[in-house]
Amino acid sequence: MLDSQLKSQLQAYLGRLQRPIRLIASLDDSQGATEMRELLTEIAELSDLVSFDDSGTDGRKPSFLIAPQGSDQGVRFAAIPLGHEFTSLVLALLWTGGHPPKEEAETLDAIDALQGDFRFEVYMSLSCHNCPDVVQALSLMAIRNPAVKTVVIDGGLYQAEVEERQVLAVPMVYLNGEVFGSGRMTLQEIVAKLDVNADEREAAKLDAKEAFDVLVVGGGPAGAAAAVYAARKGIRVGVAAERFGGQTNDTMGIENYISVLETNGPKFAADLEAQVRHYDVDLMNLQRAEKLIPATEPGGLVQVQMANGAVLKARSVILSTGARWRNVNVPGENEYRNKGVAYCPHCDGPLFKGKDVAVIGGGNSGVEAAIDLAGIVGHVTLIEFADALKADAVLVSKLRSLPNVTIHVNAQTTEITGAGGKVNGLSYKDRVSGEVRHVPLEGVFVQIGLVPNTEWLKGTVELSRYGEIVVDAKGHTNVEGVFAAGDCTTVPYKQIVIAAGDGAKAALSAFDHLIRQPVAEAVAA
């Protein structure tokens, strides 16, 4: 099950265990149970502090519980956690064995203080790069707090259960039998949703902060670069981010960032955060900005009002709020979101194994998604509005070589249809003949580009007709003391390396702005 290299690595990790742990399996006669027994046996052989038995009686078979010796409190895997989830398995073993998690004390205290009955079920797929964050967060909560029970379920292993619950997107989290959330969530986000007083306490903390020299709003590559460049000037820097790492968290592979031959999005996002934290930057994550209030006089303070009611103040502000997936905006899209309408083929593709799906979009993202899905699903129908696919020629050639792909150009998606609470088809209009056609299918993957996260700025800074922040060559906006960088701006080519360069440029411009402020005015502000 585990190759020699993985065994060697795992044995080294298990050397950090501080107390005995048990792997208690509930097995049946299935192939999955055979593979699970093999995996757990191999793990137990690597450490004297790990024991395995198959005395479990859980209703989900195959599954196994990781628990301290003499306790039944822990996390259950209804899965064979390899692939992207191998790290989740390793961490669950370490945390159960007493190895301390690398989380802030405040977050751990909040987990320990939770009271009630929290029974989590998280559905994941082994190819999903967003799932491990959620799996690890809920695993840690179950290991630390007896009020929390967590079961991690592989949708591929429990297909009948996935069908019954109509789980068509992962990660999908249920709490006490009801949908709690879907998509990537951090530990802090999950705890905040359970802690009803968290927003009020956080707002009070933010309100009490002194004014920053530079406040960066947004924590993607542009925001991270801006924070690093500003902090290196020795000034007071803060970052308020709704989700640190931004879109990179949802990116599978990154192979074009100069000096980094290959990495993945979540790791890249973690590296961004690590570098920002290396400097004396006040990082305020899970904070959504709602209003920008320009300074009322030259050299005065710019204010940013947050969703929780707090107001942050700064002598200069860098807007780097990035962008999000563009919706196709047709009937059925919102109704069937996560019920057949999806935006991440890497995460949700395995849930459509053997089924017929559509991809909307003929650019690189759409064609890459169609190629990826063609290896998993029964058939892919690609819908492109223009009269030709816009992806790179090599990708188009690859797509056209696949036998289970149909391509429609000059096709305008008009509706995503469904029945019984999930997608059952897509309608499109032939833009040449005007004929409306319907394609029966079970999933629709939307891949039509990005829209900037700038709605909250309307009426304060100049925006283009596409909603992008209008900036000059140095990142200045039309508001004194306010700069912008990255995918939310008019700068062409939305690429990670360009966003990072933009962030650095905006930080240097902000610093230049600050040093040119009259001393008397700056003190008075």
Side-chain angles (χ1 to χ4, degrees), residues 467-490:
E468 299 166 321
I469 302 170
V470 177
V471 292
D472 66 11
K474 293 186 176 181
H476 295 92
T477 72
N478 66 316
V479 177
E480 180 74 11
V482 177
F483 306 82
D487 287 3
C488 64
T489 73
T490 50

Side-chain angles (χ1 to χ4, degrees), residues 357-362 379-389 399-400 405-413 426 428-431 437-439 441:
V357 304
V359 173
I360 302 176
H379 189 273
V380 179
T381 300
L382 188 141
I383 306 292
E384 166 57 34
F385 182 85
D387 60 3
L389 300 182
L399 182 69
R400 293 190 183 280
V405 174
T406 300
I407 300 169
H408 297 294
V409 296
N410 271 322
Q412 179 182 356
T413 303
L426 176 147
Y428 71 92
K429 182 175 73 173
D430 186 315
R431 296 177 57 233
R437 300 168 183 166
H438 185 263
V439 182
L441 40 78

Side-chain angles (χ1 to χ4, degrees), residues 117-376:
D117 177 24
F118 305 102
R119 292 175 288 108
F120 285 104
E121 298 164 292
V122 52
Y123 290 88
M124 57 80 177
S125 69
L126 298 180
S127 62
C128 169
H129 61 281
N130 286 326
C131 293
D133 284 344
V134 179
V135 169
Q136 291 162 25
L138 293 174
S139 296
L140 178 59
M141 291 172 64
I143 290 166
R144 290 191 65 94
N145 190 328
V148 180
K149 303 290 188 296
T150 294
V151 183
V152 179
I153 306 160
D154 178 8
L157 192 60
Y158 283 85
Q159 289 184 336
E161 191 170 322
V162 163
E163 289 284 347
E164 181 181 354
R165 276 187 154 171
Q166 298 184 5
V167 176
L168 297 175
V170 289
M172 177 68 74
V173 180
Y174 287 79
L175 172 59
N176 299 337
E178 301 293 330
V179 174
F180 176 78
S182 64
R184 185 178 183 273
M185 293 179 282
T186 65
L187 174 62
Q188 291 77 15
E189 286 175 304
I190 294 170
V191 173
K193 288 183 71 171
L194 299 175
D195 185 350
V196 294
N197 297 318
D199 272 357
E200 185 177 339
R201 293 197 305 272
E202 189 64 22
K205 284 172 53 180
L206 297 184
D207 270 332
K209 292 181 182 292
E210 296 180 6
F212 296 97
D213 291 310
V214 175
L215 174 63
V216 182
V217 183
V228 168
Y229 267 73
R232 286 171 60 87
K233 296 297 185 182
I235 58 180
R236 178 169 160 74
V237 180
V239 176
E242 186 170 358
R243 183 177 63 148
F244 199 90
Q247 283 185 77
T248 60
N249 288 295
D250 305 321
T251 303
M252 183 58 181
I254 299 173
E255 300 177 354
N256 57 356
Y257 193 84
I258 306 306
S259 84
V260 179
L261 184 61
E262 183 180 358
T263 187
N264 62 67
K267 183 181 185 304
F268 187 84
D271 290 343
L272 289 179
E273 182 173 347
Q275 187 168 15
V276 169
R277 290 189 182 278
H278 176 73
Y279 294 94
D280 190 19
V281 174
D282 189 343
L283 202 165
M284 299 160 279
N285 201 14
L286 307 182
Q287 302 299 327
R288 180 165 57 87
E290 283 197 339
K291 187 177 182 181
L292 177 73
I293 306 171
T296 56
E297 58 185 7
L301 297 178
V302 180
Q303 300 181 58
V304 179
Q305 183 174 312
M306 313 308 291
N308 59 15
V311 175
L312 297 172
K313 305 176 182 65
R315 296 175 61 206
S316 65
V317 168
I318 298 174
L319 304 170
S320 58
T321 49
R324 61 188 183 277
W325 289 116
R326 185 181 299 277
N327 293 330
V328 69
N329 291 323
V330 298
E333 180 179 19
N334 288 330
E335 181 181 355
Y336 297 110
R337 190 183 301 268
N338 297 327
K339 294 296 182 182
V341 175
Y343 299 83
C344 179
H346 301 294
C347 301
D348 301 331
L351 299 175
F352 295 86
K353 183 177 181 180
K355 300 177 180 179
D356 293 348
V357 304
V359 173
I360 302 176
N364 279 350
S365 296
V367 172
E368 287 173 355
I371 294 170
D372 184 16
L373 290 166
I376 303 170

